[in-house]
């Protein structure tokens, strides 16, 4: 299905969209590249939507590079870029000058900044709502246009993950192993579902970044962790599909680590067999058949301790990108007859 194309060493962070690879290469300082061409040196972080690259530098400033027109523009001077890219081209930034930290949303399509006095955000919902976790037990909803609060609720439990919105409900996962839904307009708690009531395989340890996928368009949450695949229907609050990859054969078991979704396929890293340790394999799971269609071992014959595939694979066009713990980016290309 895939064959190795080439590898890039010393990669700190990357994004691939629309057949374009953007990455930061860390040598003495972080250098930003587009398809192996140097764009900027000594940057902080960046976000890439397939058409524009927004990044900060060490002055600090926030800049935008238009790939189509090959044009550079200064967006906000003396600001750092946050880690969250919102919908509608909004990006969160924080002022670090003189130790001041404030929340700013910049709509780089409209070239408009929205300043909000609030702690750091976690999610934008439906274009104008911001959810936060200032105490790890409290959620707040803020109107991005006015900067005013819509509602605030203290759940009295640790908020492990804000999953997303389906219909008029916000779904979260808590530190007490519960799936919880809240009314989007009021914050009222509507449902609390113990994860073990869904399936023994679903536990707090399973709900880690890039192992749980919230699919609002299909109204479901998909889990792929350890030796289990599971789909949970958000409308009926029932498990609708499940498969265990514990075959009883130590040579054919699959243990999944982190993954990404692309239509009918799930791209994962993990281990084959019952051997404990770090993820050494990359593979593709067909979600229609729930069979592993392709896999390849990337581990070393005489592996050093702690070498692993730590990031979820990224599929873009006919390429698959896999980042390992030593900073090597492995790039696979789909074979023509696949």
């Amino acid at each position: 299905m895939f064959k190795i194309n080439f590898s890039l060493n010393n990669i700190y962070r990357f994004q691939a969209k629309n057949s374009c690879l953007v990455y930061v290469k860390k040598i003495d300082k972080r250098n930003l590249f587009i398809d192996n061409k140097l764009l900027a040196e000594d940057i902080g972080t960046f976000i890439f939507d397939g058409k524009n690259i927004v990044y900060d530098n060490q002055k600090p400033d926030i800049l935008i590079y238009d790939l189509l027109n090959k044009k550079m523009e200064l967006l906000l001077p003396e600001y750092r870029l946050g880690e969250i890219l919102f919908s509608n081209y909004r990006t969160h930034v924080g002022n670090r000058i003189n130790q001041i930290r404030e929340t700013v949303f910049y709509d780089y399509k409209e070239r408009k900044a929205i300043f909000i006095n609030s702690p750091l955000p976690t999610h934008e919902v439906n274009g104008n709502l911001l959810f936060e976790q200032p105490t790890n037990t409290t959620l707040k909803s803020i109107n991005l246009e006015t900067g005013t609060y819509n509602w605030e609720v203290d759940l009295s439990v640790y908020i492990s993950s804000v999953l997303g919105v389906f219909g008029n409900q916000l779904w979260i996962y808590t530190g007490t192993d519960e799936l919880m839904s809240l009314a989007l307009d009021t914050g009222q708690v509507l449902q609390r579902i113990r994860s073990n009531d869904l399936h023994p395989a679903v536990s707090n340890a399973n709900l880690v970044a890039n192992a749980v996928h919230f699919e609002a368009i299909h109204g479901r949450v998909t889990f792929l962790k350890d030796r289990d695949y599971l789909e949970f229907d958000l409308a009926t609050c029932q498990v609708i599909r499940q498969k265990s990859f514990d075959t009883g054969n130590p040579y054919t078991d699959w243990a999944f680590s982190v993954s990404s979704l692309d239509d009918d396929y799930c791209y994962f890293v993990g281990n084959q067999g019952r051997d404990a340790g770090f993820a050494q394999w990359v593979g593709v799971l067909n979600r229609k058949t729930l069979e592993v269609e392709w896999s390849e071992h990337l581990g070393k014959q005489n592996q050093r301790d702690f070498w692993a595939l730590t990031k979820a694979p990224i599929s873009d066009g006919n390429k698959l990108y896999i980042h390992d713990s030593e900073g090597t980016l492995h790039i696979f290309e789909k074979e023509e007859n696949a």
Side-chain angles (χ1 to χ4, degrees):
M1 190 173 187
F2 286 97
K3 62 181 179 181
I4 190 71
N5 189 358
F6 61 93
S7 298
L8 293 172
N9 296 322
N10 207 19
I11 304 300
Y12 177 69
R13 188 176 168 213
F14 79 98
Q15 290 182 2
K17 292 183 180 179
N18 299 340
S19 300
C20 182
L21 175 63
V22 177
Y23 60 90
V24 170
K25 194 166 187 177
K26 188 175 182 180
I27 305 175
D28 296 321
K29 51 189 176 183
R30 296 176 186 175
N31 300 324
L32 180 64
F33 289 82
I34 309 173
D35 289 332
N36 294 328
K37 297 179 181 178
L38 180 65
L39 175 66
E41 296 182 349
D42 206 17
I43 75 161
T45 188
F46 76 94
I47 50 179
F48 174 49
D49 68 354
K51 298 178 181 178
N52 301 280
I53 306 171
V54 182
Y55 66 94
D56 61 24
N57 59 19
Q58 298 302 313
K59 290 185 179 179
D61 293 320
I62 294 180
L63 302 100
I64 183 170
Y65 180 73
D66 182 338
L67 267 68
L68 180 62
N69 299 308
K70 312 295 184 187
K71 180 182 178 182
M72 188 80 71
E73 180 183 349
L74 175 65
L75 292 185
L76 283 174
E78 300 184 343
Y79 274 86
R80 288 290 189 211
L81 184 65
E83 291 293 334
I84 303 170
L85 175 63
F86 291 116
S87 59
N88 300 325
Y89 303 95
R90 282 200 177 101
T91 178
H92 153 248
V93 297
N95 191 350
R96 307 299 177 96
I97 304 301
N98 298 324
Q99 305 301 315
I100 297 173
R101 191 182 184 97
E102 62 184 343
T103 298
V104 182
F105 288 88
Y106 196 89
D107 186 328
Y108 63 82
K109 186 177 182 181
E110 300 294 333
R111 300 296 192 266
K112 180 177 68 172
I114 304 167
F115 294 79
I116 295 177
N117 257 338
S118 70
L120 295 181
T122 58
H123 278 264
E124 182 189 1
V125 182
N126 291 353
N128 64 352
L129 293 177
L130 168 68
F131 292 91
E132 310 174 5
Q133 301 176 18
T135 65
N136 288 329
T137 65
T138 302
L139 284 177
K140 296 182 180 181
S141 169
I142 299 176
N143 187 304
L144 283 179
E145 298 303 322
T146 64
T148 58
Y149 287 99
N150 296 320
W151 51 260
E152 177 178 338
V153 58
D154 187 351
L155 301 174
S156 300
V157 292
Y158 179 79
I159 301 167
S160 177
S161 178
V162 178
L163 299 177
V165 172
F166 174 69
N168 293 315
Q169 296 183 29
L170 172 71
W171 287 85
I172 66 173
Y173 194 79
T174 74
T176 54
D177 297 348
E178 288 181 305
L179 279 169
M180 188 181 295
S181 68
L182 286 72
L184 197 57
D185 55 350
T186 66
Q188 177 186 358
V189 176
L190 302 176
Q191 299 179 80
R192 303 177 75 129
I193 305 169
R194 291 283 300 176
S195 60
N196 284 341
D197 293 338
L198 300 178
H199 191 274
V202 182
S203 66
N204 187 48
N206 295 91
L207 291 173
V208 296
N210 296 321
V212 178
H213 308 284
F214 190 88
E215 300 179 85
I217 190 170
H218 298 299
R220 68 190 177 204
V221 179
T222 298
F223 304 84
L224 184 67
K225 182 65 177 172
D226 295 334
R227 293 180 174 84
D228 287 274
Y229 176 93
L230 182 145
E231 292 178 4
F232 170 73
D233 185 85
L234 294 169
T236 63
C237 295
Q238 299 291 325
V239 173
I240 52 176
R241 295 181 77 202
Q242 187 271 334
K243 179 177 179 178
S244 172
F245 287 82
D246 187 347
T247 65
N249 184 330
Y251 298 101
T252 59
D253 282 354
W254 279 104
F256 305 105
S257 178
V258 294
S259 55
S260 62
L261 300 186
D262 184 4
D263 297 327
D264 293 326
Y265 294 94
C266 185
Y267 302 92
F268 66 86
V269 298
N271 279 327
Q272 188 174 37
R274 294 181 181 273
D275 293 336
F278 303 100
Q280 302 274 314
W281 290 76
V282 58
V284 178
L285 174 69
N286 185 318
R287 293 209 288 166
K288 289 184 176 180
T289 63
L290 293 186
E291 299 292 336
V292 175
E293 286 194 354
W294 169 85
S295 63
E296 183 157 328
H297 184 255
L298 292 184
K300 303 176 182 180
Q301 294 297 326
N302 299 310
Q303 80 177 79
R304 289 176 289 192
D305 291 340
F306 308 120
W307 185 96
L309 302 174
T310 56
K311 306 289 180 62
I314 300 299
S315 171
D316 178 61
N318 68 337
K319 289 185 173 59
L320 190 65
Y321 301 87
I322 302 100
H323 199 200
D324 70 28
S325 58
E326 291 184 345
T328 300
L329 181 62
H330 308 268
I331 303 170
F332 285 79
E333 189 169 4
K334 188 172 292 186
E335 296 180 278
E336 293 182 1
N337 59 353

